[in-house]
């Protein structure tokens, strides 16, 4: 198959899958009440951040414990552009990608020559430091109070077209095009030559270097791309109402990593599954604790306990996550 | 001058605690190639055990000793129950990739951290509580003048100094210490010398668990105890370990003290809210200027 | 006696050893020669337990070694000197030697002291430099250190993996002759892997020629030296 033809097919496949995801979310939202519609918008937003981890860890083997902090960079970037400089929301989202990518470049340059644990620790330090930066430079970042931003009202042409839509639905409509675009980008990247280069680095740095791949540059590029995605997610996440340190806590970074891990670090389908799981799991647990009349002092810790246990079970039973387990079952059936 | 002395002495005491944390991280990193992000979660858990014992009218010192022993046991348990089976599995396709072999243990340690925090919250309701110290935290007086050092600072410095002396003797003068250094440097030659490298590694996890458990006991009289209290300590300890070079035990201790002074001086001469930023800047500077650390050597760093 | 039968060792379904059988008699030097990639190092690493045999058996007298751990194989009196002068360069010379006898510290402290004294007598240069880092030694001295580390465990079988690799001919000849003397004086059994067939066969009692994971010749060393057609076919000279 010629290279151009291969690219065309990959492009077509990614386009179709992204459109399918878009339609799936729209159809699903029709079945949901407003609360779950806003949860769906959360999923669409966080999915972008989880995809950034799939890209970073699954495709190039680097690990970040601070994707939430990079989300904060994107969130603050876009919120400042809108509130201080009067940019339009849509342009601020696009610029958030570049701002956080630039931030990722700086961080990547510091950490890319280091092995996994260094990057993990450095990004964790960052996740803890970012909120205190917001507090330290209070006049600029508005400290703990944060910056109020929102998606605004649905435009008239849209309501004319589809009728009255709720705030929750509108938030989903704002986020979804970006989610679809992010999916398209990640699908394309991981299936082309670039993606293969990244995987070579992931699997064996020495042999990748011997086949002429510049390891450090590749790692930095992946980190920059992943940061751009996380920043976009952070901007979308902030525009739910508030950009503040409390919106991007350290736990957010760990939750995102959990989503990527339990779904399967190397699978985009896994990322989607994992994101659904981390958003709906706390709701589910809350329902169960209420039904079983478990006291709140215990119930408060059950989501964290479940997520930790899921992480452990995943690495023990099947490090390739749900996607890996599925593949394993399919493989068995064939034989 | 007084503020300088205050910063210096409190920096020494804080640095002593950071040195313990950093030493614990480096011990496991050298032995097993894993950065144990659950380390201070383990310490938080054992400090809660001590706190619980004291509430049930055990003496401070018996609770202290039991906490250290449980720290060792928890460390060994993490290795035997989780890390060893994880890293020895060779068939898994995921672990065949080089970077995943370092990534998977990191994820596992985060899982342990999450579970330990949640369990502590469930068992002990997660409310912030105080933790006693055997020495009053007042400034020491000579005649009527207050010295810039508190009795508690002296206690911390004394305990850590003793620990470091004992650790040094263990590593340089005993056979087990030699076996531990050898296993970290070259597992194959060490195995060929008839030494059970796996058991030596587990011992490393146990010592690391004890050191961080001690750090938990020494830091909580100041910070109080809650499931999240010790997160900061992990971050500082990690930075100290990176500054010291991750592979060097002496470097990790040195890095701990350096961080102690940096944080203490930022606290006294600047403002407490600058501490995080100072840590981040310090870490990034260390990574840019000397990624192998002060005492780490380039060739022995694992890839 | 070391008896190896039908030994197979695989790496990702490539058979590095493909049914190797031979015996090494006690108190003698048996040398395993062959071209690069013939499986010589894999053979030694399988005997010492560093690689896992897929099938076949390794017996030392009546002890089955096949699926034992490296540590217990070493403890039953089989010491390997791995390829490439493997010493721990960050440790001192003395510590490297101490390491080799560490597991005997509790069971035979007195004899350990004697064994340590003996290796220092065998290689006086190591005694002179006992406090220096092993990394500062020359290639020949490192090989001496690697052998000493193995000897203080008082092995009955010594596995030597290419001791002359990368050494000047004079030094490698000196090392081989010391091993030879040791074998004759103490009854140590030696399994010597060498690419340099002439050096090895000169001291060995018996020769095993490996090619592509199989034994192609199993002869007394003198006959192997004489057989020029074997050498032409398998070693290329």
């Amino acid at each position: 198959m010629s290279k151009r033809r291969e690219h065309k097919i990959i492009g077509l496949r990614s386009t179709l899958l992204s459109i399918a995801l878009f339609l799936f979310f729209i159809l699903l939202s029709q079945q949901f009440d407003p609360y779950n519609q806003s949860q769906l918008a959360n999923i669409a937003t966080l999915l972008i951040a989880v995809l950034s981890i799939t890209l970073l860890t699954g495709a190039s083997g680097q690990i970040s414990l601070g994707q939430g902090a990079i989300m904060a960079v994107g969130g603050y970037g876009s919120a400042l552009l809108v509130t201080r400089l009067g940019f339009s929301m849509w342009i601020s989202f696009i610029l958030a990608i570049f701002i956080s990518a630039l931030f990722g470049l700086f961080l990547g340059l510091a950490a890319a020559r280091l092995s996994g644990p260094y990057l993990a620790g450095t990004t964790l330090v960052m996740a803890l430091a970012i909120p205190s930066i917001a507090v330290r430079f209070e006049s600029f970042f508005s400290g703990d109070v944060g910056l109020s931003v929102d998606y605004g009202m649905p435009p008239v042409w849209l309501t004319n077209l589809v009728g009255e839509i709720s705030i929750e639905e509108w938030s989903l409509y704002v986020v979804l095009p970006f989610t679809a675009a992010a999916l398209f980008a990640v699908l394309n990247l991981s299936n082309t030559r670039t993606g293969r280069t990244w995987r070579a680095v992931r699997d064996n740095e020495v042999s990748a270097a011997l086949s002429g791949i510049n390891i450090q540059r590749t790692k930095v590029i992946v980190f920059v791309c992943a940061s751009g995605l996380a920043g976009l997610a952070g901007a979308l996440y902030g525009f739910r109402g508030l950009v503040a340190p409390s919106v991007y806590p350290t736990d957010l970074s760990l939750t995102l990593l959990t989503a990527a891990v339990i779904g399967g670090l190397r699978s985009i389908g896994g990322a989607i599954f994992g994101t659904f799981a981390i958003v709906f799991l706390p709701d589910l647990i809350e329902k169960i604790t209420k039904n079983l009349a478990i006291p709140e002092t215990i119930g408060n810790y059950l989501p964290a306990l479940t997520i930790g246990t899921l992480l452990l079970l995943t690495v023990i039973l099947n490090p390739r996550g749900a996607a890996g387990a599925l593949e394993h079952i399919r493989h068995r059936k064939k034989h | 001058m007084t503020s300088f002395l205050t910063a210096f002495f409190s920096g020494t005491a804080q640095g002593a605690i950071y040195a313990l944390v950093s030493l614990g991280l480096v011990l496991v990193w050298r032995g097993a190639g894993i950065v144990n992000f659950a380390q201070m979660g383990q310490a938080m858990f054992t400090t809660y055990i001590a706190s619980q014992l004291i509430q049930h009218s055990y003496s401070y010192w018996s609770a202290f000793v039991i906490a250290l022993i449980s720290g060792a046991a928890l460390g060994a348990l993490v290795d035997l129950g989780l890390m060893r089976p994880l890293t020895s599995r060779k068939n898994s396709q995921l672990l065949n990739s080089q970077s995943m072999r370092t990534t998977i243990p990191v994820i596992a340690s985060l899982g342990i951290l999450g579970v330990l925090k949640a369990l502590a919250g469930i068992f002990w309701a997660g409310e912030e509580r105080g933790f006693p110290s055997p020495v009053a935290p007042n400034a020491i007086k000579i005649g009527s003048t207050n010295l810039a050092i508190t009795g508690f600072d002296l206690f911390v410095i004394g305990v850590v100094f003793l620990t470091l002396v004992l650790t040094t003797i263990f590593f340089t003068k005993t056979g087990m210490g030699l076996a531990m250094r050898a296993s970290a440097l070259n597992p194959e030659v060490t195995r060929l010398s008839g030494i059970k490298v796996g058991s030596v590694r587990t011992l490393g996890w146990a010592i690391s668990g004890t050191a961080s458990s001690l750090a938990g006991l020494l830091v909580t009289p100041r910070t109080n105890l809650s499931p999240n209290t010790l997160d900061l300590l992990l971050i500082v300890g990690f930075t100290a370990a990176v500054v010291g070079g991750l592979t060097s035990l002496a470097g990790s201790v040195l890095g701990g003290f350096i961080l102690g002074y940096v944080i203490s001086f930022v606290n006294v001469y600047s403002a407490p809210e600058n501490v995080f930023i100072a840590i981040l800047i310090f870490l990034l500077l260390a990574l840019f200027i000397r990624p192998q650390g002060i005492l780490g050597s380039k060739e022995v760093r694992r890839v | 006696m070391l008896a190896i039968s039908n030994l197979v060792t695989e790496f990702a379904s490539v058979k590095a050893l493909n049914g190797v059988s031979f015996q090494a008699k006690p108190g003698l030097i048996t040398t395993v020669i062959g071209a690069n990639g013939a499986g010589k190092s894999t053979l030694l690493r399988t005997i010492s337990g560093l690689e896992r045999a897929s099938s076949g058996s390794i017996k030392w007298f009546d002890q089955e070694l096949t699926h034992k751990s490296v540590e217990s194989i070493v403890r039953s009196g089989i010491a390997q000197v791995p390829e490439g002068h493997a010493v721990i360069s960050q440790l001192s010379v003395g510590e490297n030697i101490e390491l080799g006898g560490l597991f005997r510290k509790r069971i035979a402290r007195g004899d350990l002291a004697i064994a340590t004294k003996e290796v220092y007598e065998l290689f006086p240069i190591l005694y002179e430099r006992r406090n220096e880092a092993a990394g500062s030694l020359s290639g020949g001295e490192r090989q001496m250190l690697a052998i000493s580390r193995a000897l203080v465990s008082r092995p009955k079988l010594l596995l030597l993996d290419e001791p002359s690799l990368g050494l000047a001919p004079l030094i490698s000849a000196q090392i081989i002759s010391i091993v030879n003397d040791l074998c004759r004086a103490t009854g140590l059994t030696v399994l010597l892997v060498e690419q340099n067939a002439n050096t090895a066969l000169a001291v060995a009692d018996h020769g095993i020629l490996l090619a592509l994971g199989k034994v192609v010749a199993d002869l007394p060393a003198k006959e192997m030296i004489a057989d020029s057609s074997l050498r032409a076919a398998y070693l290329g000279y």
Side-chain angles (χ1 to χ4, degrees), chain C residues 140-160:
Chain C
E141 289 161 349
R142 279 189 202 205
Q143 190 59 51
M144 293 173 194
L145 179 57
I147 292 172
S148 303
R149 186 195 54 72
L151 287 179
V152 285
S153 73
R154 287 260 191 244
K156 296 182 189 71
L157 170 62
L158 187 67
L159 309 170
L160 282 169

Side-chain angles (χ1 to χ4, degrees), chain A residues 57-63 65 103 106-107 109-111 113-126 128-130 132-133 135-137 201-206 251 254 257 261 265-266 297-299 301-302 304-312 314-321 327, chain B residues 29 33-35 37 81-82 86 89 92-104 106-122 125-127 227 231-232 234-235 238-239 242 245-247 270-271 273-274 276-277 279-280 283-284 287-289 291-292 301-303:
Chain A
T57 311
S60 83
Q62 305 175 78
I63 185 164
L65 307 182
F103 181 78
F106 173 70
L107 201 70
L109 284 177
R113 48 186 157 169
L114 306 167
S115 50
Y118 282 91
L119 185 61
T122 311
T123 48
L124 187 61
V125 174
M126 194 182 61
L128 282 159
I130 291 268
S132 74
I133 290 175
V135 176
R136 174 67 188 79
F137 301 100
V201 172
R202 175 194 71 190
D203 290 338
N204 194 327
E205 281 188 16
V206 176
D251 284 349
L254 300 185
L257 184 67
V261 171
L265 275 171
R266 291 188 179 175
T297 45
I298 292 176
Y301 291 96
L302 286 183
L305 185 65
T306 318
I307 281 179
T309 314
L310 274 177
L311 266 183
L312 284 180
T314 308
V315 293
I316 294 167
L317 300 176
N318 192 335
R320 301 177 69 201
E327 200 174 290
Chain B
W29 169 252
I34 293 170
V35 172
F37 286 99
L82 188 67
L86 265 188
R89 172 164 41 188
S92 160
Q93 206 188 331
L94 196 61
L95 291 183
N96 279 345
S97 107
Q98 190 184 48
S99 58
M100 283 296 158
R101 272 195 293 271
T102 54
T103 303
I104 292 294
V106 167
I107 293 170
S109 72
L110 290 170
I112 299 172
L113 181 63
V115 168
L116 284 175
K117 278 188 187 179
L119 286 180
I122 290 170
E127 93 273 26
D231 289 356
L232 176 62
L234 177 81
I235 297 305
F238 175 80
T239 308
V242 170
L246 260 189
T247 51
S270 170
E273 63 260 31
N274 288 347
F276 264 125
I277 300 165
I279 297 172
L280 184 67
L283 177 61
L284 289 176
L287 290 179
F288 270 116
I289 297 169
Q292 74 273 30
R301 212 188 79 215
R302 283 161 188 265
V303 181

Side-chain angles (χ1 to χ4, degrees), chain C residues 106-120:
Chain C
R106 266 200 228 124
I107 34 181
R109 184 181 285 265
D111 182 59
L112 186 59
I114 298 170
T116 308
K117 205 169 150 250
E118 281 174 10
V119 296
Y120 279 138

Side-chain angles (χ1 to χ4, degrees), chain A residues 33-259:
Chain A
D33 59 10
Y35 172 72
N36 280 328
Q37 279 174 349
S38 71
Q39 287 287 69
L40 208 54
N42 278 344
I43 291 175
T45 308
L46 293 180
L47 177 57
I48 301 174
V50 175
L51 282 175
S52 80
I53 295 179
T54 309
L55 195 68
L56 186 70
T57 311
S60 83
Q62 305 175 78
I63 185 164
S64 162
L65 307 182
Q67 285 310 86
I70 298 171
M71 282 178 70
V73 171
Y76 274 102
S78 60
L80 287 171
L81 286 173
V82 169
T83 55
R84 299 273 149 85
L85 299 174
F87 273 73
S88 103
M89 172 180 84
W90 302 100
I91 292 175
S92 83
F93 289 161
I94 306 291
L95 290 178
I97 302 177
F98 290 102
I99 294 168
S100 44
L102 201 67
F103 181 78
L105 178 67
F106 173 70
L107 201 70
L109 284 177
R113 48 186 157 169
L114 306 167
S115 50
Y118 282 91
L119 185 61
T122 311
T123 48
L124 187 61
V125 174
M126 194 182 61
L128 282 159
I130 291 268
S132 74
I133 290 175
V135 176
R136 174 67 188 79
F137 301 100
E138 197 174 349
S139 54
F140 194 62
F141 294 112
S142 299
D144 283 323
V145 182
L147 304 155
S148 292
V149 278
D150 57 49
Y151 297 125
M153 297 307 277
V156 180
W157 63 263
L158 189 67
T159 42
N160 285 342
L161 198 69
V162 297
E164 215 40 52
I165 47 177
S166 65
I167 295 289
E168 288 81 10
E169 280 175 292
W170 172 235
S171 63
L172 184 63
Y173 291 154
V174 171
V175 173
L176 264 186
F178 290 103
T179 314
L183 181 71
F184 177 80
V186 174
L187 278 171
N188 258 339
L189 270 176
S190 49
N191 286 320
T192 53
R193 211 185 127 214
T194 325
R196 282 197 291 276
T197 310
W198 295 0
R199 283 195 291 276
V201 172
R202 175 194 71 190
D203 290 338
N204 194 327
E205 281 188 16
V206 176
S207 58
L210 287 176
S211 45
I213 297 171
N214 184 331
I215 304 284
Q216 291 192 13
R217 208 177 69 191
T218 309
K219 281 185 161 182
V220 174
I221 291 173
V222 183
F223 200 78
V224 167
C225 291
S227 300
L229 276 180
L232 172 63
L236 295 167
Y237 203 57
F239 273 70
R240 294 177 311 162
L242 184 68
V243 170
S246 60
V247 177
Y248 309 98
T250 318
D251 284 349
L252 176 64
S253 303
L254 300 185
T255 311
L256 294 172
L257 184 67
T258 308

